[in-house]
Amino acid sequence: MTHRIGGARPLTVGIDVGGTNIRASVIDTSGEVLDTVQAPTPHSAKALEDALARSVRELCQRHPIGAVGLAVAGFINGDRSTVRFAPHLPWQDTPVAQRLTERLELPVILEHDANAAMWAEYRFGAAAGGHNVVLVAIGTGIGAALLIDGKLYRGTHGVAPELGHLQVVPQGRACPCGKHGCWERYCSGTALADTAIEMLATDPVRSVLAKDVYRDPGSLTGRRVANAAQDGDPLAVRVMADFARWLGLGLAFVSDIFDPDLVVIAGGVSSSAPLFLDEAREEYARSVTGAGHRPLARIRTTQLGEAAGMIGAADLARAALIESERKSSRVARSH
């Protein structure tokens, strides 16, 4: 059912379906978050769908909701109704949108989480006014999204783009995807820890971070490296410089293919941008084909942060709802 108050557009719900938590927010037409509920992510498909339905119903008790959008880290089919595969969720070739639509009696759409974040940044954040935009979400790995001529590009089968799995080092570090040398293995939160360990193995340096690595290598995280770099730790500073180089090189590859006017850096690592972004811009400017003889993409960090996926999913659900109403109106007039 579609709710309206005084003829105004209803609010929509955007849900970030993460491997650890579900976060559902009510979003208005200007991209503002009005209300949020959160719950742990269950490990079975039925329990997950139950939890999603409960979250939406709780929000429906407090707000007039017209549609729901789910931001999912996984492969979504072309009509945004089915989760083909999600590595951290219990769905595989599952018609999630149909199931939740029937339970909630509200339109439900799915979207890849990076696409949802891109759309939010385009509509309300760092990508506003962009024409051809690349979003690179750097966290545990790399998620990515493309906006071409102001429209999300999902590819023929709905799985584009997997920029994090461009091979940048033949026979390089092993990647969970099954390949070796993927970009995200050198440019991610996980990569920061791996790079620190490799550097110490080949060129030991005295530092507080180095002592931590020697004592317990398994405890090292990208956040720990970034914090140490902020404190001026020699090893961490070297690691961040290596990260910046790989980010700049990767963006040069991406620019050679897509020639964007804007790049948005998102994800958890983006919060440490002052430690690497200037060096990454310099590497990008040096490495792009035709360096010195072509305009360069502007590189910005996210404005919407971790809320971007929910905001984008909600806004895309609103757009789908409006289009559905227009189609219904045209059919009614034709009769």
Side-chain angles (χ1 to χ4, degrees):
M1 66 185 73
T2 298
H3 303 278
R4 291 180 180 278
I5 293 181
R9 282 285 163 206
L11 302 170
T12 51
V13 170
I15 308 179
D16 180 359
V17 189
T20 304
N21 292 302
I22 298 164
R23 288 187 303 138
S25 291
V26 178
I27 311 295
D28 69 13
T29 55
S30 61
E32 292 296 319
V33 177
L34 304 182
D35 195 357
T36 300
V37 297
Q38 182 168 309
T41 303
H43 299 298
S44 74
K46 182 180 183 304
L48 175 55
E49 290 158 27
D50 288 344
L52 291 168
R54 280 196 303 272
S55 296
V56 174
R57 287 184 180 127
E58 180 178 341
L59 293 171
C60 283
Q61 290 175 358
R62 302 196 288 266
H63 306 275
I65 303 303
V68 179
L70 273 62
V72 179
F75 291 166
I76 309 299
N77 73 335
D79 66 4
R80 295 182 289 165
S81 64
T82 299
V83 177
R84 296 182 186 275
F85 171 71
H88 305 295
L89 298 171
W91 288 322
Q92 189 167 357
D93 292 322
T94 306
V96 175
Q98 177 185 340
R99 289 182 180 181
L100 289 176
T101 293
E102 291 172 353
R103 293 183 64 163
L104 295 169
E105 297 183 329
L106 287 170
V108 177
I109 66 157
L110 310 178
E111 187 57 82
H112 187 281
D113 58 347
N115 282 345
M118 165 69 90
W119 187 252
E121 296 289 352
Y122 175 63
R123 290 274 287 128
F124 310 110
H131 189 61
N132 296 314
V133 186
V134 177
L135 179 136
V136 180
I138 308 175
T140 302
I142 288 180
L146 295 174
L147 192 82
I148 298 178
D149 293 330
K151 297 181 180 179
L152 286 171
Y153 178 77
R154 301 181 178 91
T156 301
H157 304 293
V159 300
E162 285 293 341
L163 300 182
H165 297 288
L166 293 173
Q167 188 183 54
V168 296
V169 181
Q171 305 308 312
R173 295 174 183 171
C175 183
C177 78
K179 299 193 297 185
H180 287 77
C182 294
W183 185 25
E184 70 175 41
R185 297 300 295 116
Y186 298 86
C187 186
S188 65
T190 306
L192 289 173
D194 292 343
T195 299
I197 293 169
E198 285 187 3
M199 283 185 172
L200 281 178
T202 57
D203 185 14
V205 62
R206 290 187 178 184
S207 79
V208 174
L209 184 64
K211 290 180 181 178
D212 289 347
V213 174
Y214 287 133
R215 185 166 52 246
D216 185 5
S219 69
L220 189 62
T221 64
R223 172 56 58 193
R224 176 75 181 89
V225 173
N227 289 341
Q230 184 70 50
D231 294 336
D233 183 275
L235 173 61
V237 169
R238 286 173 53 194
V239 171
M240 294 306 300
D242 187 77
F243 175 93
R245 182 174 68 89
W246 280 114
L247 177 56
L249 286 170
L251 293 181
F253 295 154
V254 171
S255 289
D256 285 345
I257 299 168
F258 298 111
D259 189 26
D261 57 293
L262 177 64
V263 174
V264 177
I265 305 297
V269 178
S270 67
S271 62
S272 300
L275 298 173
F276 62 78
L277 196 55
D278 285 345
E279 291 181 53
R281 285 190 178 107
E282 292 172 3
E283 183 66 46
Y284 159 64
R286 286 192 298 268
S287 302
V288 70
T289 301
H293 302 283
R294 62 183 283 185
L296 297 175
R298 295 165 292 153
I299 303 175
R300 297 177 177 172
T301 54
T302 174
Q303 286 185 15
L304 303 176
E306 64 179 14
M310 293 185 296
I311 294 170
D315 197 64
L316 288 164
R318 179 177 292 105
L321 175 62
I322 291 170
E323 180 58 28
S324 175
E325 290 176 347
R326 285 173 177 166
K327 287 181 179 178
S328 297
S329 178
R330 286 196 295 267
V331 170
R333 287 198 302 270
S334 69
H335 290 82

